[in-house]
Amino acid sequence: MNKNQPNNQEDQEIDLTQISKKIGIFFQNINTFLFKCIQFFVKNAVVILILFVLGFGVGMFLDSTNKTYNHEIIVTPNFGSTDYLYSKIDLIESKIQEGDTIFIKEVLGIKKPKEILKIKIKPVTDVYRFIENKTENFELIKLMAEDGDIKKVLEDDLTSKNYTLHTITFKTKNQIINTETVQPILIYLNEMDYYKKVQNETVKNIRIKIIQNDTIISQINSVLNGFSNMVNGTQKSDKLVYYNENTQLNDVIKTKEALINEQGIHRVQLVGLDKIIKDNSATLNIENTNSVNGKLKFVFPILFLLLFVLIHLFSSYYKNQMRKSKMI
């Protein structure tokens, strides 16, 4: 045992020495590599500077000539027309990708059909409005969330298509004006005879309901005025009067309050029911800066430099291999 100990110590010392040598060689190689890199850039400083200037100029030119713009329209599909709206947007997108300029120009009504590049639609996730005063929607979300992630449930097509607001986004090559692009799309989306009939009947029913509610409110006001006159007459006669606690006066007042609130809701509804697909707002001409859009003036100098370095490495590799082949 004692004889083996010195041997083990010597082996450990040899191993540590080798490891330290390898570490030293590794850092020396890094130092050499860094020096060669610096030497390469110093040697080719003029070429690199020219490449940077050239890349920046090309990038600036392409950024100014290849701009694209995003546009958003927030809409409300009325009368159960959500699936109809999504199918129409999908149809427009398919025609754009097919390059069907006849459809885009004559059916959709956009005068410059090649300007539009893409269109899509997605719901505006507003779960609070979705469950507001709708107990059945709240219970539905609770039931669906029991077997899965609540976030996935809220973003699921079955749920999201029932949200009130939806965003139509489309991309064009150049800036647009509302009358030439947005309005033709909205006119196209609102041309559906079935939903027009549903719209007429729905608006008619709401207006009838408003008239009936006004009549009921007027009758309630007459009852309350009569009761008020009776109370004032009793006070003047100085007679003691007992009122039955079971009178439905409080119920009448609550009914009037509920009817007034309902009238307000109906009048607001009529404002949004003038179209099948109601446009609430439109934001146009947002310059697209996703990915490398608008950043080519920075991308091209780096790209040119990388190409120059790769060409130099390939050239060096080729020369070394040629030298070796001649030696053989």
Side-chain angles (χ1 to χ4, degrees), residues 3-17:
K3 290 180 180 180
N4 291 333
Q5 275 185 343
N7 292 331
N8 291 335
Q9 289 177 355
E10 289 177 2
D11 292 339
Q12 289 177 359
E13 289 176 358
I14 292 170
D15 291 340
L16 290 172
T17 303

Side-chain angles (χ1 to χ4, degrees), residues 84-149:
Y84 158 79
L85 171 62
Y86 274 72
S87 65
K88 284 292 187 180
I89 296 298
D90 290 341
L91 175 62
I92 297 172
E93 170 63 10
S94 67
K95 295 298 183 181
I96 292 171
Q97 299 308 317
E98 290 172 8
D100 191 345
T101 55
I102 296 175
F103 174 87
I104 298 171
K105 187 174 183 179
E106 296 182 2
V107 179
L108 191 57
I110 296 176
K111 295 179 180 179
K112 298 178 181 178
K114 293 184 179 180
E115 287 290 308
I116 187 166
L117 302 173
K118 188 177 182 181
I119 189 170
K120 63 180 180 179
I121 184 170
K122 63 179 180 179
V124 177
T125 305
D126 189 356
V127 65
Y128 299 104
R129 182 176 291 185
F130 179 68
I131 64 175
E132 185 181 17
N133 300 323
K134 297 176 183 177
T135 308
E136 64 277 8
N137 288 352
F138 179 67
E139 294 298 329
L140 175 64
I141 289 180
K142 282 177 60 180
L143 181 63
M144 294 174 68
E146 289 178 359
D147 299 325
D149 184 8

Side-chain angles (χ1 to χ4, degrees), residues 53-64:
V53 173
L54 180 63
F56 186 82
V58 172
M60 282 284 289
F61 174 75
L62 292 176
D63 282 339
S64 61

